[in-house]
């Protein structure tokens, strides 16, 4: 591949993968590929509709197929929060560094996504509790894939951007 750095963003729902991804793409003059949007466009259905009609496993199949299609493109890729759940996906992510984990607490995330009807995994329950359960399972998986961990809650979006761009300026790490 060319020498273009193509960062991949991972993290729980509400961590800002799409919005930080948009800014990052602008700063790096790259396209942003939002994996959820990519899946929705291909399926011609919203995410809740895919979950309702086909179930979560079918959504995950679509997610793996989409990852395979987009990883390696010269773009910033914002993944869905569950993209790290499958071992196969984690291998794919690790083969396409740099992977950046936007790390945030369930409390921070719950404030941002409460009442969001586009996220079937948190629909109609105690959002913070649900996020705590997801964090317990997924944090080790994000960590396993990540080349850089950004403590999202401690920073404004501008500060987050500075930290990511600084990391990317030294990527790939030498020696
Ligand atoms: C999911 C996160 C969503 C979307 C789907 C499942 C998850 O993406 O892929 O609702 O399993 O955490 P965002 O992280 O962009 O909300």
């Amino acid at each position: 591949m060319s020498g273009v750095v193509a960062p991949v963003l991972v993290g729980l729902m509400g961590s800002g993968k799409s919005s930080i991804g948009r800014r990052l793409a602008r700063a790096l003059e790259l396209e942003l590929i939002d994996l959820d949007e990519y899946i929705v466009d291909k399926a011609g259905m919203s995410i809740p509709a895919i979950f309702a009609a086909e179930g979560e496993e079918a959504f995950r199949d679509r997610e793996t197929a989409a990852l395979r299609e987009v990883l390696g493109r010269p773009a910033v890729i914002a993944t869905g929060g569950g993209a790290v759940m499958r071992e196969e996906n984690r291998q794919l992510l690790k083969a396409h560094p740099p992977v950046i984990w936007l790390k945030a607490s369930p409390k921070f995330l719950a404030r941002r996504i409460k009442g969001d009807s586009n996220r079937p995994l948190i629909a109609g329950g105690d959002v913070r509790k649900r996020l705590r359960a997801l964090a317990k399972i997924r944090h080790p998986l994000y960590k396993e894939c990540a080349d850089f961990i950004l403590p999202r809650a401690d920073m404004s979006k501008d500060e987050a951007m500075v930290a990511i761009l600084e990391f990317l300026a030294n990527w790939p790490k030498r020696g």
Side-chain angles (χ1 to χ4, degrees):
M1 233 200 65
S2 65
V4 176
V5 180
V8 183
L9 304 180
V10 300
L12 284 173
M13 293 173 255
S15 57
K17 300 179 297 286
S18 301
S19 62
I20 296 219
R22 210 172 302 121
R23 287 180 183 224
L24 197 55
R26 214 179 301 131
L28 298 173
E29 298 184 354
L30 289 172
E31 178 194 0
L32 169 71
I33 300 176
D34 185 304
L35 205 68
D36 285 343
E37 279 177 19
Y38 187 91
I39 294 166
V40 165
D41 285 350
K42 271 213 139 169
M45 286 188 272
S46 69
I47 289 182
I50 299 172
F51 270 71
E54 305 177 348
E56 180 171 352
E57 272 313 293
F59 173 79
R60 298 297 171 202
D61 290 341
R62 289 182 180 275
E63 189 172 46
T64 299
L67 262 186
R68 280 194 181 285
E69 284 169 25
V70 305
L71 284 172
R73 292 193 192 173
V76 174
I77 298 172
T79 62
V84 293
M85 290 301 288
R86 287 189 174 174
E87 167 69 22
E88 180 185 359
N89 295 2
R90 294 198 295 280
Q91 294 307 327
L92 283 169
L93 290 166
K94 285 192 253 180
H96 293 87
V99 175
I100 298 171
W101 174 19
L102 305 186
K103 183 178 181 187
S105 68
K107 187 175 165 195
F108 172 90
L109 299 170
R111 252 186 281 127
R112 291 168 47 101
I113 63 174
K114 227 175 10 195
D116 186 337
S117 59
N118 203 36
R119 290 178 160 115
L121 289 187
I122 53 150
D126 179 333
V127 175
R128 200 184 307 179
K129 200 166 154 196
R130 186 77 192 109
L131 284 166
R132 267 204 301 270
L134 290 175
K136 196 164 175 211
I137 296 166
R138 294 180 180 177
H139 276 197
L141 306 178
Y142 296 130
K143 187 163 182 224
E144 178 189 328
C145 299
D147 300 290
F148 181 61
I149 301 174
L150 184 95
R152 178 67 185 87
D154 302 337
M155 298 183 193
S156 68
K157 278 195 183 145
D158 286 342
E159 287 168 334
M161 281 294 297
V162 170
I164 293 174
L165 290 173
E166 199 175 292
F167 159 73
L168 291 176
N170 294 308
W171 179 267
K173 287 205 163 55
R174 280 172 232 281

